[in-house]
Amino acid sequence: CMYHYEAGVTYNGSWLDIHNKWIHFNGNRLHFTQPFTGDRFTLVYYTCSRYMDASSELSSVLRAAGFPFCKSSEKLAEASISKLAEKNLEHEKWKKQIRDRIRSEKEQLGRCQARTWNKGWGGSCPHFKHEGSGDFCKGHSNGSWKTHGTIDGPVPKLKQAEMLKFQKQMVAAGERPPDPLPPG
């Protein structure tokens, strides 16, 4: 589908009086009819998005069946290009909405509370908590967080000695600690 609509969301539109009139509109967009009484007849014409991709064999068959198939129409070519551009734009908007929704859901869970190695200085895991994994991301939910501890708790004794040793080597080699120092 070219457009993506979500249940429960209100979309603005406009009312068209189509009685005894030809109306050209994008039928891929959300539309509906008002209640009515009596009989109604509607003719609907579609142009396939891939009209311009039809093979010459298919074009000939359609012309032989009485369909005026003309790929050289500039108006049709422009409409086809415009529709493809709009379709691509709408698809990108939809993908962004999905990414934004997923990111928002992750942000609501918060960041993983595991401490990381970070060249011996320690740091915060950059990943988001994984639903059902408590305070940790999927990678740290298996207990691997215990190696370096949590950012709001002490560094485990064995890891603390290793980190201190590595920090001294880094400083002796001319490296500077991160500024600011990571929490924990």
Side-chain angles (χ1 to χ4, degrees):
C1 180
M2 188 162 154
Y3 302 96
H4 301 273
Y5 300 102
E6 292 186 39
V9 175
T10 300
Y11 296 95
N12 294 325
S14 58
W15 186 85
L16 297 173
D17 177 10
I18 62 169
H19 185 72
N20 292 330
K21 296 178 188 168
W22 287 99
I23 301 291
H24 176 263
F25 70 97
N26 184 345
N28 291 308
R29 290 194 176 270
L30 185 64
H31 62 280
F32 65 96
T33 60
Q34 295 286 334
F36 70 97
T37 57
D39 296 324
R40 173 174 29 200
F41 297 93
T42 305
L43 292 175
V44 180
Y45 294 93
Y46 295 95
T47 302
C48 176
S49 307
R50 298 188 55 207
Y51 179 91
M52 300 302 281
D53 298 336
S55 67
S56 55
E57 180 183 327
L58 178 59
S59 302
S60 298
V61 169
L62 288 170
R63 273 193 295 280
F67 293 95
F69 195 90
C70 178
K71 286 170 113 177
S72 63
S73 165
E74 280 186 39
K75 187 176 180 180
L76 188 59
E78 288 171 9
S80 179
I81 290 167
S82 175
K83 184 175 181 181
L84 180 61
E86 183 180 9
K87 182 179 181 178
N88 290 337
L89 178 66
E90 290 298 324
H91 186 69
E92 289 304 315
K93 281 185 198 175
W94 175 71
K95 287 192 320 188
K96 183 181 181 317
Q97 286 175 346
I98 297 297
R99 284 192 308 268
D100 290 349
R101 188 186 82 227
I102 290 170
R103 176 138 185 113
S104 176
E105 289 169 1
K106 287 181 176 184
E107 286 173 347
Q108 286 177 5
L109 291 172
R111 294 281 181 183
C112 176
Q113 297 298 297
R115 180 182 287 109
T116 59
W117 175 249
N118 191 27
K119 296 184 178 180
W121 296 105
S124 302
C125 176
H127 301 289
F128 289 103
K129 294 177 186 175
H130 187 262
E131 196 167 347
S133 297
D135 287 336
F136 304 103
C137 65
K138 195 171 185 178
H140 285 112
S141 66
N142 63 1
S144 63
W145 65 270
K146 294 174 185 173
T147 304
H148 299 100
T150 61
I151 57 171
D152 59 354
V155 177
K157 293 281 183 208
L158 287 174
K159 193 50 71 172
Q160 193 175 38
E162 183 183 354
M163 290 174 103
L164 186 57
K165 178 182 170 188
F166 198 81
Q167 291 169 7
K168 287 179 181 179
Q169 290 172 354
M170 301 246 321
V171 170
E175 288 205 36
R176 309 280 309 151
D179 185 25
L181 281 171

